[in-house]
Amino acid sequence: MTSSSTVLAMQIAAPGGPEALQATQLALGEPGPGQIRLRHHAIGLNYIDCYHRSGLYPLPLPAGIGMEGAGVVEAVGPGVEHLQVGDRAAYACTPPGAYCEARVMPAMSVVRLPEAIDFETGAAMMLKGLTVQYLLRRTLPAEGLVPGDFILWHAAAGGVGLIACQWARALGLQLIATAGSEAKCALALAHGASHAINYRSENFAARVREITGGQGVKVVYDSVGADTFEGSLDCLRPFGLMVSFGNASGPVPPVNTGVLAAKGSLYLTRPTLFAHLSSRERSQAMADDLFAQVLAGTVRIPVERRYPLREAAQAHRDLEARLTTGCSVLLP
């Protein structure tokens, strides 16, 4: 049991494997200007947490881990006007540090959570749902996307992917999903993918060409990284857009830009969610779009696994072993 002035947190003292996550007690102070204190009811689990823990994305040490959560506002610092004590709230934002019972944090990207959305769903949906929002709504090929267009989405049975399958269907897009097993392919199809490819048993680039009648797709959304990058370029039609937004299999190697020319004047981008959440107004607008999809039932957030906060290391093992589908949360 923690005292009122300290909270349980999972932190790293040095980069490493899941065992690097260690329980500690942190002092919990009062929020300063532009800050709030939030008591977590649930904490989201994301692959970026593994990047922070391993050192792929270095953090000042010792470091807290975790980018999203949901809970109740306990205190509000000077200058914060959009939140009040007692508000239900959710967030996906920097700096990391969500793996804790409560935290003092910047208020800019924290938004009120609608009463109809429970805390576990709120914690599981923010980073993944806002990622899909900025990808499908803001990260678009030069020729745009219209109903009927083909897009390719790797790792479509993960937390981000299953949201993307549903949202793409609502937009009238034909999402071609890739996943690593027949069961995961079936899951993507059940969530709205038009086609699914088991990349362990099929050449996904050849299959994409077959599905699209040789045309290719307008855009590839790829969070896998090294293992899929070259094949993804082969899936694009001329002037297509390659969106590399994650590195689950390792970083993409250096790119010879001449390859983009040879394959049809392709575009390449490496976006991040937090560049899109750089203002209060944009954060709110993106969250409103996501909440509307969830409240309408267009997008359902599948919370498949729940772990006690102290078992964060096991959650990381399961995530890196690709044993999870949908979303997972830590419970303080």
Side-chain angles (χ1 to χ4, degrees):
M1 181 72 70
T2 62
S3 72
S4 59
S5 60
T6 64
V7 293
L8 170 68
M10 301 300 293
Q11 289 197 323
I12 60 168
E19 69 282 353
L21 285 165
Q22 297 292 318
T24 188
Q25 294 291 323
L26 291 183
L28 187 64
E30 294 299 316
Q35 295 182 324
I36 62 164
R37 188 171 72 234
L38 186 76
R39 178 71 53 173
H40 286 131
H41 286 231
I43 300 150
L45 181 71
N46 296 282
Y47 222 100
I48 193 174
D49 304 347
C50 300
Y51 300 159
H52 285 142
R53 187 211 70 229
S54 70
L56 180 63
Y57 294 174
L59 297 174
L61 298 171
I65 299 294
M67 307 294 287
E68 69 176 343
V72 175
V73 178
E74 285 190 335
V76 175
V80 177
E81 298 181 352
H82 68 287
L83 294 168
Q84 298 179 352
V85 172
D87 281 350
R88 303 169 77 253
Y91 67 88
C93 68
T94 55
Y99 285 18
C100 61
E101 293 173 319
R103 66 186 298 201
V104 172
M105 61 182 298
M108 184 184 74
S109 296
V110 182
V111 297
R112 287 185 180 177
L113 185 66
E115 290 290 339
I117 300 176
D118 64 77
F119 287 116
E120 288 188 10
T121 301
M125 72 187 283
M126 293 299 290
L127 192 143
K128 290 174 274 291
L130 292 174
T131 295
V132 175
Q133 198 280 342
Y134 91 77
L135 290 172
L136 287 180
R137 299 289 213 189
R138 298 168 179 267
T139 313
L140 303 175
E143 297 176 336
L145 288 175
V146 297
D149 280 345
F150 286 100
I151 67 174
L152 177 63
W153 201 290
H154 289 299
V160 173
L162 292 181
I163 295 172
C165 289
Q166 299 172 77
W167 208 326
R169 176 175 58 185
L171 294 172
L173 303 172
Q174 298 191 68
L175 185 146
I176 303 171
T178 73
S181 70
E182 293 302 321
K184 288 188 174 184
C185 285
L187 190 62
L189 291 168
H191 281 77
S194 299
H195 304 271
I197 302 168
N198 182 345
Y199 62 77
R200 297 192 190 279
S201 61
E202 293 187 272
N203 180 315
F204 72 82
R207 183 76 178 104
V208 165
R209 289 290 173 180
E210 181 181 335
I211 291 169
T212 61
Q215 295 294 308
V217 298
K218 277 189 173 181
V219 59
V220 176
Y221 296 105
D222 188 346
S223 63
V224 175
D227 288 355
T228 52
F229 184 80
E230 289 190 17
S232 293
L233 295 181
D234 290 333
C235 294
L236 288 165
R237 60 191 291 178
F239 309 110
L241 173 63
M242 175 66 197
V243 183
S244 176
F245 71 99
N247 312 288
S249 67
V252 173
V255 178
N256 176 357
T257 56
V259 172
L260 304 178
K263 292 183 181 294
S265 297
L266 303 182
Y267 293 79
L268 169 64
T269 186
R270 180 57 173 92
T272 67
L273 169 62
F274 301 108
H276 287 270
L277 296 175
S278 59
S279 74
R280 167 85 204 114
E281 294 74 21
R282 181 174 292 180
S283 298
Q284 188 66 58
M286 291 172 63
D288 287 346
D289 192 14
L290 173 60
F291 292 156
Q293 299 296 325
V294 173
L295 292 171
T298 302
V299 171
R300 299 182 184 275
I301 309 297
V303 180
E304 303 291 350
R305 296 198 182 202
R306 298 162 179 83
Y307 301 84
L309 177 59
R310 286 185 179 272
E311 295 180 13
Q314 185 59 50
H316 277 221
R317 291 186 190 99
D318 292 348
L319 189 63
E320 290 183 308
R322 302 192 182 184
L323 298 178
T324 64
T325 58
C327 303
S328 301
V329 294
L330 304 174
L331 300 178

